[in-house]
Amino acid sequence: MEPVALRRLWGRAEEFDALHDLLHDDAAHPRGMVLCGDAGIGRTALYWAAVDMAEATGRPVLRVRASAADELLAFAGLADLLDGVDDDVLSRLPPPQRRAVDGVTLRIHPSLDVEPRTVGTALSTVLRLLGADGPVLVAIDDEPWLDRPTADALSFALRRIDQHAVRVVLTAPVTGPPGRVRQALVDAFGTRLQERALGPLDAVSMRRILGELDGPSLPRTLVERVVDAAGGHPLFALELARGVRMLDHPPRPDEPLPLSARLRDLVAARVEGLGESDRALLQLVAFASRPTVDLITQRPGGAATLDAWEGAGFTTVDRGVVKLANQLLAVAVREGATGPERRATHAALATLVPELEQRARHMALADSRPDRTVADALERAAAATAARGAPSAAAELAALAVARTPESDHDARARRRLGLAALCFRLGDTDDAIGLGKAVLSSPTTDAMHARALLLLAEVEFENGLSEIAVRHCLTGLQLVTDDVELQARLHARVAAVATHDLALALVHADRAMTLLADIDEPDPATECMALQGRIAATLARGHGLVMEDVERAILLEGKAPAPRVADRPSAALGAWLAWTDDVHGAKEALEGTLQTARDEGDESSVPYALSHLPLTLLRLGELAEARAVAEQVLEAAEATAQDYQRCQALWMLALVDAHLGDLDRAAREAEECRVAAVAGEDPWIVRQALSTMGFVELSRGRPAAALGHLRAAVELEERIGLRNPVLRRGAQLLADALVEVGDLTAAAALVDDLADAADALHTAPTQAVCRRLRAQIAAADGRLDDALDLLEEARRHHARQPFPFDEARTMLVLGQVQRRRRQRGQAATAFQQARDGFAAIGARGWVARVEGETAGSAGRSRGGSLTAGEQRVADALLAGATVKEAALRLHTSPKTVEAHITHIYRKLGIRSRAQLGAALGATAAPSTDDVLHT
């Protein structure tokens, strides 16, 4: 350890040993230490000791000393933290993270908007890379003064470094609530975080500090008086000693020390004792965010003054930046400046600093009166800061821009309010965004500006789940705009994006937007991308296929004007679109790519979306256990990010998977919870999914009549939405199934013909196979067994093109039923075995039981002891509540055969009603009107 570092730590042996243990622990998990204390107690000395100790052992160090002037400047602290990170480390970041780091630290000009979460993810990746070979130190001095974007990025990163050797040393005042980074450490590190309160130093240590750091020694009696007055605060002692030296003669023993006993007053008095030019220059340092040596030396006499300041303990130079020695000195300079001095300092800095954001802030602070030039600069700075991934700092600049806009400049004020509203919406302040949008609507500005306000309100309301209100806003905006073609196109494009309740309407407006954009020489890529994305989704959902030229064009435009969130991009939607064409393998690959992108960019809000289509894809691939695990991840991620829509999606997927697994009670509860939440959110898309799953549960229980109500409601919503894609029309598929079982073959045939025509047009083999299987069930129920066998063979050929295990097993189950009815017992047994093996392989326990029910007792007798297999199947149908006609349809036999079986069952068991049947077989029978036929 260098002597200077040792001198800083007199009286802090316990803290020094704790820091040594922290920094020399090579365990692969994060640890941290928070050092709290009053101003002047020695927090910064311990910060430097930790830095020196880590650097002496060759460990990587990321360090930042925050200051009051940095608090409002976006990513000022992050630039310091990453200052010493080698380019070879940064070059190993994923491209989105590298671009984010370079953009926010102004190594490059950000050509595209940077998301704050991407910055946090990049920082966590840097920490992992640096800590791969041993502990890396993150040192933060005066954490409460960190600018918010840096604090957010650090908090994000520190919560995501479990199992990595990261060591954090943070200093903070002893009073006040914990800052964002400190709270993240408490939450993430748990018991691996030490918090140490720094108490006063002993008299011996205080004397040594005065002797070493105070220059020419004072008389011993004065040293003792200073030590007693300082109360164990080393900075207080040094300031008292300096005050004594400013006197013409040392105070006599009977005279009081000349300055206040309050440290803050001592520091302020020292500042006030400077000459006017020195004080003005010191104010430049205090009010500037990054006062470089070059900035100070540009001023007359700056170089000599800087040397004198360092000698007097006013300033230090760290990596080319001049910093006041401590926060008390910074506060004293800033608070001690008069109003005219502050304004003059900000006016001078506005001409000196190179960065747009700093320059605009200083212009605003130099004069609080409305001014067009200042408002313009603030507006530009807000846009640039938002692009760097600091929306909170950008919102502060945007609010200043609104405040500095003259009252008479209605259009500029409205434009800036909308800019601020967009930032508020991005930050999650929905109410503020709506309020600002409505303020523009009521202001005396142009119709075009009112239309832009409606456009913003449409986006906000759609995110709130109110697609119909969002559409109304856009249509009202279109009535106001007559001569702005690009704005008209954006309004049409927004309708295409938000009209999920009316796909035909979405398609009309998508086409209208594209037509308008074609007449613009250089159309806005974001508008064109939105319109294309709306057209692709609506076209596919309407059953017209996936137009890959449009997809490729949309993804190309995305690169020029990406959506803020990964989930809103065409490249993210591609996975869902491929699933809608039955291309589940392509969908799985695309969705996993979207998930990786969301994680690379730290976009946690998009993780639920990226996961949400995977469970259904995995289910169709026969991976039921993994499908359920992913659905649970969707639920956890949705609840963690407060996304009600994705939470409903997760509940629906859990219900669907559980129904396939055979856990019907749990599936019913999940589906009902999903339906209730979706109805409350006025979302017909998810309501129909919940209803179709509730219908599937009832079908799985053998209660087709109970399923009809759910499924008819689901199909009604499909028709209201305009859904024509047969892959998405699960309600219609299941309704056809239920209609066959209850004997309404005419309605079932009409529904299946509609689905089959659409599936044939799209060449979606798995859905074509389902339609053939449904047609075979209709033919068998109608007594056309040869036609049924032909249709089932056709279904198997479609399955062979693209196998979906569950659907294949269902086809084999129906094939076994038809073959048994044709008395092809050997072939039927083989088909039943294949069906059972198929269901068992994917874990569909309920369906395994159903197949076993079909084949139980085929060697002679049933579990009832005297019933044949055929009689047992009829008994099971009756116990499930089926009528004679329904039982005949379900078992692919005639009503007369069912009635004959009922007669034999009742005679063998010595009973006269269905209720007695339940008792005889140890089950509860459902009452039926056909009981009267056998009483």
Side-chain angles (χ1 to χ4, degrees):
M1 178 67 66
E2 296 179 358
V4 67
L6 287 172
R7 286 198 299 271
R8 291 187 187 119
L9 290 174
W10 283 319
R12 298 295 182 198
E14 184 180 341
E15 289 82 1
F16 178 87
D17 290 343
L19 284 171
H20 183 277
D21 291 344
L22 175 74
L23 297 174
H24 287 79
D25 176 9
D26 291 332
H29 55 244
R31 288 185 59 194
M33 185 182 297
V34 175
L35 298 164
C36 301
D38 297 330
I41 201 68
R43 301 189 311 248
T44 299
L46 287 165
Y47 159 86
W48 279 116
V51 170
D52 290 344
M53 197 183 301
E55 290 181 342
T57 58
R59 301 194 188 283
V61 177
L62 278 65
R63 61 182 175 87
V64 56
R65 289 188 63 208
S67 68
D70 294 343
E71 190 180 14
L72 297 179
L73 181 62
F75 294 116
L78 188 69
D80 284 345
L81 279 169
L82 298 179
D83 185 63
V85 178
D86 292 338
D87 278 343
D88 65 332
V89 174
L90 297 179
S91 67
R92 293 160 63 190
L93 293 174
Q97 296 179 25
R98 178 61 191 267
R99 287 193 298 271
V101 167
D102 288 345
V104 300
T105 58
L106 297 178
R107 301 181 187 204
I108 61 170
H109 185 277
S111 57
L112 300 172
D113 284 358
V114 174
E115 277 298 296
R117 51 188 168 259
T118 311
V119 181
T121 304
L123 184 55
S124 65
T125 304
V126 167
L127 292 175
R128 291 187 182 99
L129 292 172
L130 290 174
D133 299 324
V136 54
L137 172 64
V138 178
I140 307 155
D141 190 29
D142 280 322
E143 181 250 3
W145 293 111
L146 272 179
D147 63 276
R148 179 171 171 176
T150 295
D152 286 344
L154 259 173
S155 301
F156 187 97
L158 293 174
R159 293 176 190 272
R160 289 160 178 79
I161 53 168
D162 197 23
Q163 306 305 316
H164 290 84
V166 175
R167 307 290 176 257
V168 180
V169 173
L170 178 149
T171 74
V174 72
T175 59
R180 302 170 78 84
V181 179
R182 183 175 171 187
Q183 187 60 55
L185 290 174
V186 171
D187 295 342
F189 285 27
T191 58
R192 296 196 294 266
L193 178 70
Q194 300 179 51
E195 298 205 13
R196 289 180 171 267
L198 303 180
L201 291 178
D202 60 82
V204 173
S205 299
M206 294 285 285
R207 292 188 199 102
R208 294 188 68 181
I209 289 171
L210 282 173
E212 292 289 339
L213 301 180
D214 185 43
S217 60
L218 294 172
R220 184 176 179 81
T221 55
L222 271 179
V223 169
E224 293 302 320
R225 290 181 67 187
V226 167
V227 168
D228 288 343
H233 285 62
L235 183 60
F236 198 173
L238 290 169
E239 291 299 329
L240 278 169
R242 286 164 181 157
V244 168
R245 283 202 179 80
M246 294 171 64
L247 298 174
D248 293 334
H249 60 83
R252 293 189 305 271
D254 59 340
E255 291 179 330
L257 292 177
L259 297 173
S260 166
R262 290 181 66 243
L263 176 56
R264 187 161 172 167
D265 292 343
L266 289 174
V267 175
R270 206 155 60 102
V271 173
E272 290 168 3
L274 294 173
E276 184 177 343
S277 61
D278 278 356
R279 192 165 65 249
L281 198 55
L282 201 61
Q283 286 166 357
L284 280 181
V285 176
F287 284 103
S289 176
R290 294 181 64 80
T292 63
V293 172
D294 289 343
L295 184 147
I296 300 303
T297 55
Q298 286 178 35
R299 311 294 288 177
T305 302
L306 193 56
D307 290 340
W309 282 348
E310 288 194 71
F314 275 117
T315 60
T316 61
V317 176
D318 183 17
R319 294 183 291 201
V321 177
V322 180
K323 290 185 177 288
L324 295 174
N326 54 68
Q327 289 294 355
L328 276 177
L329 186 56
V331 170
V333 174
R334 292 165 70 91
E335 291 187 353
T338 64
E341 285 176 333
R342 278 199 197 92
R343 289 190 291 273
T345 301
H346 286 300
L349 286 169
T351 66
L352 293 171
V353 296
E355 293 88 357
L356 173 61
E357 179 186 349
Q358 292 187 61
R359 191 163 62 249
R361 279 191 187 279
H362 290 305
M363 290 173 67
L365 294 171
D367 192 339
S368 61
R369 292 172 296 183
D371 183 284
R372 285 187 175 87
T373 301
V374 174
D376 286 343
L378 287 164
E379 185 178 20
R380 292 194 303 274
T385 304
R388 288 174 60 209
S392 57
E396 292 169 0
L397 289 164
L400 281 173
V402 172
R404 295 295 187 272
T405 303
E407 289 284 350
S408 59
D409 200 346
H410 300 300
D411 293 350
R413 177 176 285 270
R415 183 182 69 249
R416 288 167 186 151
R417 275 178 166 163
L418 290 178
L420 177 58
L423 288 166
C424 289
F425 180 46
R426 184 174 172 184
L427 289 166
D429 299 331
T430 304
D431 290 342
D432 287 346
I434 291 174
L436 286 161
K438 289 181 176 179
V440 172
L441 285 179
S442 63
S443 67
T445 186
T446 63
D447 284 346
M449 200 63 69
H450 287 150
R452 292 183 186 280
L454 288 163
L455 185 62
L456 180 136
L457 289 171
E459 183 179 4
V460 176
E461 296 293 10
F462 180 66
E463 284 296 315
N464 287 338
L466 303 173
S467 63
E468 294 186 37
I469 293 176
V471 168
R472 285 202 296 272
H473 283 321
C474 291
L475 297 179
T476 302
L478 283 167
Q479 294 174 1
L480 297 174
V481 181
T482 57
D483 55 356
D484 188 335
V485 175
E486 191 152 4
L487 180 53
Q488 287 178 322
R490 189 155 188 83
L491 286 160
H492 283 296
R494 179 62 66 188
V495 175
V498 303
T500 55
H501 65 286
D502 189 339
L503 295 171
L505 181 69
L507 194 53
V508 167
H509 283 273
D511 288 340
R512 182 60 181 147
M514 295 303 298
T515 300
L516 291 171
L517 290 167
D519 294 332
I520 301 173
D521 290 337
E522 294 184 9
D524 173 36
T527 301
E528 189 175 356
C529 185
M530 190 190 332
L532 264 177
Q533 191 168 350
R535 184 166 78 181
I536 294 164
T539 298
L540 184 54
R542 293 282 291 166
H544 302 306
L546 185 60
V547 183
M548 289 309 299
E549 287 183 5
D550 281 354
V551 174
E552 292 165 2
R553 174 66 179 159
I555 293 175
L556 179 66
L557 289 166
E558 171 191 307
K560 297 179 180 179
R565 296 172 64 242
V566 171
D568 295 333
R569 303 174 190 173
S571 57
L574 178 59
W577 294 338
L578 291 172
W580 294 0
T581 67
D582 273 341
D583 182 3
V584 290
H585 293 285
K588 185 171 182 283
E589 182 179 352
L591 291 167
E592 288 171 346
T594 296
L595 181 61
Q596 188 60 50
T597 299
R599 287 173 172 162
D600 284 348
E601 296 188 15
D603 184 356
E604 292 195 0
S605 70
S606 291
V607 168
Y609 172 85
L611 287 167
S612 66
H613 292 277
L614 277 171
L616 185 57
T617 300
L618 292 167
L619 186 153
R620 301 191 79 185
L621 289 170
E623 300 170 21
L624 269 64
E626 187 177 352
R628 194 177 203 291
V630 175
E632 288 180 334
Q633 291 178 42
V634 180
L635 184 61
E636 291 173 6
E639 290 177 343
T641 54
Q643 297 185 54
D644 291 340
Y645 178 89
Q646 293 298 345
R647 183 176 181 276
C648 286
Q649 283 279 88
L651 289 168
W652 163 61
M653 287 178 289
L654 284 168
L656 189 60
V657 175
D658 282 336
H660 281 75
L661 288 169
D663 194 344
L664 300 180
D665 290 340
R666 181 159 65 174
R669 290 193 301 271
E670 290 160 342
E672 174 61 12
E673 186 178 354
C674 171
R675 185 194 67 80
V676 169
V679 168
E682 301 181 25
D683 192 324
W685 192 277
I686 299 187
V687 172
R688 64 152 187 111
Q689 292 173 324
L691 288 168
S692 66
T693 302
M694 294 167 76
F696 180 62
V697 168
E698 294 301 332
L699 281 173
S700 300
R701 284 174 167 157
R703 300 199 303 220
L708 286 177
H710 300 308
L711 296 173
R712 282 180 172 139
V715 170
E716 182 181 336
L717 285 174
E718 289 176 357
E719 292 170 351
R720 189 197 308 172
I721 292 169
L723 204 58
R724 304 300 305 158
N725 185 317
V727 179
L728 294 173
R729 297 193 67 197
R730 182 167 178 80
Q733 294 177 25
L734 293 168
L735 178 58
D737 214 333
L739 288 169
V740 172
E741 292 209 29
V742 299
D744 192 347
L745 302 185
T746 301
L751 200 53
V752 173
D753 286 346
D754 189 29
L755 289 168
D757 289 345
D760 291 344
L762 291 177
H763 302 290
T764 54
T767 304
Q768 287 175 295
V770 169
C771 291
R772 269 50 178 188
R773 188 252 300 163
L774 288 168
R775 278 179 166 165
Q777 289 175 242
I778 294 169
D782 197 35
R784 296 180 285 110
L785 299 182
D786 289 341
D787 290 345
L789 289 173
D790 290 342
L791 287 164
L792 289 167
E793 186 58 36
E794 193 176 341
R796 295 179 70 185
R797 287 197 297 271
H798 287 302
H799 283 310
R801 287 170 50 203
Q802 193 171 351
F804 282 8
F806 182 84
D807 289 342
E808 280 189 282
R810 283 211 66 186
T811 296
M812 296 311 297
L813 174 57
V814 174
L815 178 61
Q817 291 169 332
V818 175
Q819 287 174 332
R820 182 183 59 207
R821 205 170 151 194
R822 285 286 310 272
R823 306 198 183 281
Q824 298 171 341
R825 301 193 182 280
Q827 292 169 292
T830 300
F832 284 137
Q833 187 61 46
Q834 289 178 353
R836 187 200 179 284
D837 292 346
F839 290 131
I842 63 176
R845 299 181 301 273
W847 287 85
V848 170
R850 174 174 288 202
V851 177
E852 290 174 346
E854 290 282 346
T855 57
S858 58
R861 299 297 169 187
S862 71
R863 67 177 182 271
S866 60
L867 303 184
T868 66
E871 291 166 354
Q872 185 63 57
R873 286 192 294 273
V874 170
D876 289 340
L878 296 177
L879 289 170
T883 65
V884 169
K885 188 175 182 182
E886 288 170 350
L889 290 166
R890 190 179 308 171
L891 300 173
H892 301 285
T893 188
S894 68
K896 288 184 178 180
T897 301
V898 170
E899 289 183 356
H901 279 313
I902 291 173
T903 299
H904 296 154
I905 292 167
Y906 286 11
R907 183 171 62 246
K908 288 180 179 180
L909 297 179
I911 60 177
R912 294 176 58 80
S913 72
R914 188 178 301 194
Q916 292 175 315
L917 172 66
L921 296 179
T924 300
S928 173
T929 55
D930 67 309
D931 278 337
V932 72
L933 299 175
H934 303 283
T935 57

